[in-house]
Amino acid sequence: MIQSDAAASRQHQPVPVELKSPVNHSSRVANPLAAVAQRAIDARLSSGETTTELKVRDFSAWYGDFQALHNLELDIPKNRVTALIGPSGCGKSTFLRWINRMNDLVASARCSGTLEAGGTNVLDRALDVVELRRRVGMVFQKPNPFPKSIYDNVAFGPRLHYRLKKRELDALVEKSLRDAALWDEVKDRLDKSALGLSGGQQQRLCIARTIALSPEVLLMDEPCSALDPKATRRVEDLIAELRNNFTIIIVTHNMQQAARVSDVTAFFFEGRLIEIDETLTIFTSPKNPQTEEYVTGRFG
Amino acid sequence: MTSLLEGRQAIPASRRNRTNRRFLWVALCVTSLSVLALSVLLVTVLFQGAKHLFGAEVAVVPDTTHLVSAELDERGQSVQLVTREPRTQHLELLERAPEGATVRVDGADVLVVAPDGAELRAGTRTDVTSAALTPNRHAVRIEYSELVTHEVGLPSERSLDGASIETDAQTGRVAVRYTNGSTQIVGQRGGTLARTHVVGSPNLKAAKDFLTTPPSMTPTNAGFNAPLLGSIWILVVCALSALPLGIGAAIMLEEFRPRRRGPTHWVHRIVQTNVRNLAGVPSIVYGLIGLTVFCRMFGLFGSALQYAPYQRFELTDGRTILGQLVATEEEVYHLDSELLGHVKLERSSLGEVTQWPIKDEPIECHGTVELNDEYLFVVRAPELGEITIDSWAIEHAELADGGPFSPREVDLTFSMGGQGRYVIETPDAGRMYVARDLVRDTVRDIDTVPIREHIYRMGDGRVLRGELMKLNDGELSIRRAIGEDVTTFNIKDVALRPDGKPDYRNRTMLMLGDEDSSFHVHFPMGASVLAGGLTLMLVILPIIIIATQEALRAVPDSLRSGALALGATPWQMVWGMTLPNAVPGIMTGAILAMSRAIGEAAPILVVGGTIFITFLPDNLMSGFAAMPLQIYMWTNQPDPEFKKVAASGILVLLTVLLLFNASAVFIRQKLQRPLT
């Protein structure tokens, strides 16, 4: 069975995911699948082109001798939310961490193939990762606000890359916090420690911190797994708002979440990309039986 | 399903608890013992040190429960307390007393009276208050009293004129009331520890004097300023060098560790392992490293001034100059002479140059050795002049014939022994070791001839020995010249003209900065504050590196990932994220390391910390003393008064140490905050 999958994925060609320009879907629908359907209809109705933000060809990754990813071939569309789903250890986080080269920090990690973001090869040894990470931001599983004030947390990134006047920085911090839907909650205590915020607020602060640099791609590694349902909802709402301006790639274990927030879903299994398609298709009529088993909860 | 533990007897909880309790008991005992030992130590040091530091003495005052009389002895500067102490004694009988026997006291005789009237003397004892046979009739138990005289010494600096004794019947307290109204307790009921030299509040002036006067060989005058200031200088040098270096090294080892296997990875492992090992290396080893690297600098820059040999420059016209060659030019030699200051010598006028032997080589001479009336040991020889040494300063003397010491004429060899000692060796009178520092001081104290650098050869061939008193207006005064009663003479008769400041341009030694500035440096560093501080840096560097590494490791990785994901370079991550959050840990480690540095004696000793100096260090190239060295030296003094001086020194050292630790705690409390 695994053999045949391997063969299948080797022959796998990138699925052209054609979506129209994003549409604001402000109202939440109780049934996530209904939301996806609504969004797909919106997309089809609206006009405009989608472009590919991330082009992945024959991408494999290893930890030492263990091959974590096998010959991935996929395109991730610009200004859309792409969800990576799959059981634990299927390689989706590994893939995410290669996109902004956070895996450089892991001694045993190496990879092959090409991974292009906005036309530049991310895996190029000569590429300056500092610059890459400004363009490809990342939000982690566990909220990791810096032990500094809320203001300094948001200003941390800009201060690394730019020389800004106080006034410019103030404006940037405010805008980022507003974009992260956190401004109203923290505007009176910007100089207080970020560690005093609740878990959900901390995670939104981390998102604000990342979008302060106006990255092109926003990577989110299970951003809601450490949060309670209420906070999860706030973050999901935020993702829905951010999809207009950022290409978002989100790793999640929660299939309902994938259905709720994403336009495109990619299913990973044992280091291979099994299927990538519009979220509605993945959840309603997947081509691969393994995907169907997984999304219907029969395994995984 | 049946449990596998079915039918098994559980170990009774009481037994398991017993083991627990046993451990706690052992721990409690050990802790109490340590606390006890520590308090004894602290109390000893405090009581000993308080005397010298605050002019207060803490001692056991006699029990006055049975006081008979208390009198002031103005001549002996003491109080005589007489008490009648109750005693009991058993007088054993040769054979058991017959039944019905009684005891009778007749004057000083204790008699056993048998029922038949026969009397047997059991013993004699005055002041018997009661006497009775013991139940088994083998002995007589007597109670008697004994007069005991306690003499309580009073501080010699207090005048007893008009002083009176006060006794308080209720508390049994006996005190001396001085004319200024202050009192001093000299006896108390039950006896107790009390300050016997209390004048109102602690005498802060005494403490100030101790901290601001130089060390001395007289215990009452001994101060602590030179070691205190020396320690501060070397600690500042040590902190300023060890902190940046240690923190930088730790950042390199921890935050920039090579991630992939390869040569750098192995180097990292080796360095990492050895930093840990180095923290356990005895400090004396660092002393040796410091001596080679800093004091001598592998001999790369020639010798330091301190190590430049004294040489005898014999001129072609027959005159002789004693000094150190500091620089040479084409045709001119520059000499530093103790007597003449800087001297320029034309090469053509220079005859033979010989090394002055007193520095390195033994001097063979014929002279006398005698022990004079004041128990001063006097060595006289034309080549040495007269050396007078307090007999207690002699560490070791072997007499060849073993007989009583009498003045004798001997051949003797005078040389620098190892371990800071002079060795005076006489074939027939044996060998004598004398601590070099003691000699110098002793000589100075008793106003005789210093033995080094004060032997002057005159232009006309005369030899003068003495202490240079004055050198101005072309006139030179030498005190206590031996074999020559000239004390003041025209400098023109002595040697060449003094010529301003030394010119260091062609000196073998490398000089950075103006010599008058506090921060000039010369290489090699010699026994200087800078060399001492850098050597201490070596001692604490591993500790600081390890503490910093631990502090950096305590910063969660999520913060590093967060910073890196925002596009921080590794240095930006360290500077903006990890280092600020590690500061409390680093400071704690650093200050504990400094606490270790302040107590180090061995490495300082090796790099040439001076045990006895009376001048204060005022620049990086000054010689220095250090607190632990001075304390060590005082505790080695035979005079018991020095024990108190040493205790005062320990108190000062402990205070500085406590301040350090308190600041560590303060910084930790102030800066520490949760990181996640």
Side-chain angles (χ1 to χ4, degrees):
Chain A
M1 169 129 184
I2 291 170
Q3 288 291 319
S4 68
D5 275 345
S9 81
R10 244 175 263 128
Q11 289 152 14
H12 180 82
Q13 290 301 308
V15 181
V17 185
E18 303 235 338
L19 285 174
K20 305 297 178 281
S21 67
V23 171
N24 258 345
H25 43 109
S26 51
S27 64
R28 290 179 60 90
V29 185
N31 180 352
L33 282 183
V36 177
Q38 178 66 46
R39 210 177 320 136
I41 294 160
D42 290 348
R44 247 171 254 127
L45 287 175
S46 56
S47 59
E49 298 266 313
T50 56
T51 49
T52 302
E53 174 76 46
L54 213 64
K55 211 161 91 179
V56 183
R57 294 292 178 270
D58 193 27
F59 181 79
S60 301
W62 288 265
Y63 291 113
D65 293 334
F66 171 72
Q67 186 166 8
L69 289 172
H70 298 261
N71 311 88
L72 299 190
E73 301 270 347
L74 72 155
D75 291 326
I76 287 173
K78 192 174 171 67
N79 288 15
R80 292 291 186 281
V81 178
T82 304
L84 310 181
I85 61 168
S88 292
C90 70
K92 47 193 192 311
S93 285
T94 303
F95 176 57
L96 197 74
R97 292 168 61 84
W98 270 115
I99 299 174
N100 72 345
R101 294 267 297 271
M102 285 303 275
N103 267 340
D104 284 8
L105 302 175
V106 182
S108 61
R110 60 200 170 84
C111 66
S112 71
T114 53
L115 207 165
E116 274 182 21
T120 52
N121 186 5
V122 168
L123 305 179
D124 189 354
R125 272 180 178 275
L127 179 84
D128 192 348
V129 291
V130 169
E131 187 57 20
L132 172 72
R133 288 173 188 155
R134 185 179 64 76
R135 287 171 43 210
V136 182
M138 187 164 192
V139 175
F140 295 86
Q141 180 171 5
K142 207 165 156 256
N144 59 345
F146 302 140
K148 297 167 181 281
S149 71
I150 293 170
Y151 182 96
D152 286 339
N153 261 273
V154 182
F156 189 84
R159 278 176 180 153
L160 293 176
H161 297 277
Y162 306 97
R163 284 186 204 288
L164 294 173
K165 293 201 184 75
K166 175 91 175 73
R167 193 163 35 78
E168 296 169 320
L169 200 58
D170 287 349
L172 182 59
V173 168
E174 180 175 346
K175 179 170 186 311
S176 308
L177 285 170
R178 278 192 194 283
D179 288 350
L182 196 60
W183 176 252
D184 290 335
E185 292 160 61
V186 301
K187 64 182 175 196
D188 298 327
R189 45 172 176 152
L190 287 176
D191 56 341
K192 295 279 187 316
S193 170
L195 299 175
L197 297 174
S198 73
Q201 287 174 323
Q202 288 187 357
Q203 193 62 301
R204 277 182 285 142
L205 180 67
C206 292
I207 294 174
R209 187 170 81 184
T210 311
I211 62 180
L213 285 170
S214 312
E216 292 149 28
V217 182
L218 203 52
L219 308 175
M220 296 188 173
D221 190 358
E222 301 182 42
C224 302
S225 65
L227 305 182
D228 66 36
K230 205 172 153 196
T232 300
R233 180 172 170 173
R234 298 291 307 268
V235 173
E236 286 178 6
D237 287 346
L238 177 58
I239 292 171
E241 279 164 38
L242 294 175
R243 62 193 282 277
N244 294 328
N245 302 319
F246 303 97
T247 303
I248 298 174
I249 306 175
I250 177 170
V251 166
T252 177
H253 269 128
N254 182 335
M255 275 172 288
Q256 297 199 342
Q257 184 175 57
R260 280 195 300 264
V261 302
S262 71
D263 306 301
V264 177
T265 300
F267 173 56
F268 282 66
F269 184 65
E270 293 191 343
R272 293 183 171 80
L273 175 68
I274 305 299
E275 193 169 353
I276 178 167
D277 212 330
E278 278 181 48
T279 302
L280 182 63
T281 319
I282 291 280
F283 280 92
T284 54
S285 51
K287 298 182 184 73
N288 192 304
Q290 265 185 315
T291 315
E292 188 173 2
E293 275 183 40
Y294 185 73
V295 297
T296 52
R298 255 177 278 164
F299 92 98
Chain B
M1 201 174 88
T2 56
S3 162
L4 285 175
L5 294 175
E6 193 80 60
R8 298 291 298 251
Q9 194 74 40
I11 306 167
S14 61
R15 195 187 299 166
R16 288 183 284 141
N17 282 333
R18 204 159 29 194
T19 322
N20 195 37
R21 269 200 302 275
R22 205 174 298 142
F23 172 77
L24 287 179
W25 264 110
V26 172
L28 188 71
C29 291
V30 173
T31 316
S32 328
L33 262 178
S34 344
V35 169
L36 192 73
L38 188 67
S39 356
V40 168
L41 179 77
L42 273 180
V43 166
T44 318
V45 169
L46 268 174
F47 286 179
Q48 292 263 322
K51 154 81 178 158
H52 193 78
L53 200 51
F54 296 121
E57 185 170 22
V58 183
V60 180
V61 301
D63 181 2
T64 56
T65 316
H66 307 281
L67 186 69
V68 178
S69 69
E71 274 173 36
L72 202 60
D73 175 6
E74 284 185 42
R75 240 160 49 97
Q77 191 82 12
S78 65
V79 175
Q80 305 276 344
L81 292 174
V82 181
T83 56
R84 182 176 287 282
E85 301 293 332
R87 305 266 193 259
T88 58
Q89 191 184 8
H90 285 84
L91 302 172
E92 296 215 4
L93 302 176
L94 288 173
E95 52 192 67
R96 192 170 173 168
E99 203 159 338
T102 53
V103 180
R104 188 167 67 87
V105 179
D106 181 13
D109 289 334
V110 180
L111 304 165
V112 178
V113 187
D116 57 3
E119 288 191 349
L120 174 72
R121 208 164 62 100
T124 53
R125 175 64 68 189
T126 50
D127 298 328
V128 175
T129 48
S130 76
L133 274 171
T134 55
N136 62 12
R137 305 198 303 278
H138 268 303
V140 179
R141 183 176 190 276
I142 55 172
E143 285 175 17
Y144 64 99
S145 61
E146 194 173 53
L147 285 179
V148 180
T149 309
H150 306 270
E151 186 172 328
V152 182
L154 298 174
S156 51
E157 62 268 27
R158 298 304 301 269
S159 163
L160 292 184
D161 277 349
S164 60
I165 294 274
E166 283 183 351
T167 50
D168 181 8
Q170 210 158 25
T171 59
R173 186 170 286 181
V174 181
V176 179
R177 177 173 290 280
Y178 295 102
T179 39
N180 66 358
S182 64
T183 58
Q184 176 185 349
I185 297 162
V186 293
Q188 193 160 15
R189 184 165 296 156
T192 183
L193 283 173
R195 299 218 282 198
T196 61
H197 183 181
V198 175
V199 190
S201 60
N203 187 352
L204 288 177
K205 192 181 166 294
K208 188 169 156 265
D209 285 348
F210 183 66
L211 293 179
T212 51
T213 54
S216 160
M217 291 311 292
T218 347
T220 42
N221 295 340
F224 209 44
N225 71 345
L228 182 64
L229 222 73
S231 274
I232 291 173
W233 266 89
I234 55 175
L235 281 183
V236 167
V237 171
C238 171
L240 288 183
S241 53
L243 282 179
L245 212 55
I247 294 174
I251 289 174
M252 191 64 212
L253 285 172
E254 196 58 33
E255 302 287 341
F256 292 85
R257 61 168 67 210
R259 298 192 185 280
R260 304 196 181 266
R261 289 184 177 277
T264 47
H265 181 80
W266 287 109
V267 170
H268 177 269
R269 289 227 358 219
I270 290 167
V271 171
Q272 179 71 64
T273 313
N274 282 311
V275 164
R276 277 166 199 281
N277 290 340
L278 282 174
V281 167
S283 48
I284 188 114
V285 177
Y286 290 108
L288 292 174
I289 298 175
L291 185 66
T292 318
V293 177
F294 301 123
C295 299
R296 298 187 182 153
M297 298 196 129
F298 310 106
L300 282 180
F301 302 96
S303 311
L305 192 58
Q306 289 91 326
Y307 292 105
Y310 258 63
Q311 288 175 316
R312 183 162 41 193
F313 298 86
E314 291 191 1
L315 308 185
T316 44
D317 60 4
R319 293 186 294 173
T320 305
I321 281 183
L322 187 68
Q324 293 166 309
L325 185 67
V326 292
T328 52
E329 279 174 40
E330 196 96 332
E331 277 304 312
V332 183
Y333 284 171
H334 295 264
L335 311 179
D336 261 354
S337 157
E338 184 81 24
L339 179 66
L340 304 166
H342 184 71
V343 175
K344 272 189 198 169
L345 260 185
E346 285 185 19
R347 190 182 283 259
S348 54
S349 67
L350 195 64
E352 194 190 355
V353 180
T354 51
Q355 188 153 317
W356 183 244
I358 204 162
K359 273 288 184 182
D360 298 311
E361 290 160 24
I363 307 170
E364 305 271 348
C365 43
H366 186 83
T368 58
V369 180
E370 83 177 89
L371 195 64
N372 72 8
D373 299 342
E374 296 163 314
Y375 288 93
L376 296 174
F377 196 86
V378 187
V379 179
R380 279 197 199 91
E383 289 85 349
L384 295 174
E386 186 179 90
I387 304 171
T388 311
I389 305 157
D390 243 346
S391 43
W392 59 262
I394 298 167
E395 286 178 11
H396 176 80
E398 300 163 6
L399 295 184
D401 52 10
F405 203 89
S406 53
R408 55 186 76 194
E409 201 161 295
V410 291
D411 286 319
L412 49 88
T413 314
F414 187 85
S415 59
M416 311 285 271
Q419 301 160 346
R421 297 186 298 194
Y422 289 122
V423 182
I424 299 170
E425 203 166 356
T426 56
D428 52 345
R431 180 181 297 162
M432 189 162 64
Y433 298 101
V434 185
R436 216 180 287 166
D437 298 286
L438 298 185
V439 171
R440 195 161 50 175
D441 186 66
T442 307
V443 165
R444 197 170 288 160
D445 266 13
I446 59 178
D447 196 18
T448 49
V449 185
I451 56 171
R452 283 169 60 189
E453 298 142 20
H454 293 279
I455 301 174
Y456 306 107
R457 242 168 233 277
M458 311 293 292
D460 56 6
R462 292 179 298 173
V463 177
L464 278 174
R465 297 178 189 82
E467 198 171 0
L468 178 66
M469 298 300 291
K470 201 164 67 176
L471 173 63
N472 59 354
D473 296 339
E475 279 206 334
L476 178 78
S477 305
I478 291 185
R479 188 164 62 167
R480 283 289 300 252
I482 292 170
E484 188 66 66
D485 39 14
V486 178
T487 54
T488 305
F489 41 88
N490 197 312
I491 198 157
K492 288 193 189 103
D493 296 339
V494 192
L496 306 174
R497 64 203 161 90
D499 197 67
K501 274 176 57 182
D503 174 15
Y504 290 101
R505 270 173 305 176
N506 289 330
R507 203 164 178 163
T508 44
M509 197 169 70
L510 189 64
M511 188 92 175
L512 301 179
D514 183 7
E515 202 198 4
D516 292 335
S517 107
S518 296
F519 299 102
H520 75 276
V521 174
H522 61 208
F523 298 120
M525 298 171 184
S528 61
V529 166
L530 186 61
L534 291 178
T535 305
L536 279 188
M537 173 201 79
L538 293 181
V539 177
I540 65 166
L541 205 50
I543 307 173
I544 290 193
I545 293 177
I546 291 172
T548 308
Q549 277 192 291
E550 292 298 334
L552 289 174
R553 228 170 272 164
V555 177
D557 265 342
S558 64
L559 297 183
R560 291 191 183 84
S561 311
L564 288 177
L566 286 173
T569 61
W571 176 251
Q572 283 179 315
M573 174 194 81
V574 168
W575 193 248
M577 186 58 54
T578 19
L579 204 54
N581 288 316
V583 162
I586 294 173
M587 289 314 287
T588 314
I591 287 166
L592 291 180
M594 295 301 287
S595 309
R596 168 158 180 205
I598 201 179
E600 280 293 353
I604 297 292
L605 200 60
V606 175
V607 298
T610 319
I611 290 184
F612 186 92
I613 52 171
T614 48
F615 63 89
L616 300 177
D618 59 355
N619 66 58
L620 286 175
M621 290 294 120
S622 302
F624 62 96
M627 290 194 276
L629 280 192
Q630 187 69 58
I631 291 167
Y632 164 76
M633 183 258 186
W634 278 334
T635 52
N636 264 0
Q637 295 297 316
D639 186 343
E641 272 300 298
F642 269 115
K643 298 280 178 287
K644 289 172 188 161
V645 182
S648 311
I650 292 172
L651 279 186
V652 174
L653 183 66
L654 281 180
T655 311
V656 176
L657 206 64
L658 276 180
L659 284 177
F660 265 79
N661 287 335
S663 60
V665 171
F666 179 77
I667 289 172
R668 201 170 40 208
Q669 295 293 335
K670 200 80 190 163
L671 294 181
Q672 208 156 46
R673 52 192 174 173
L675 296 180
T676 48

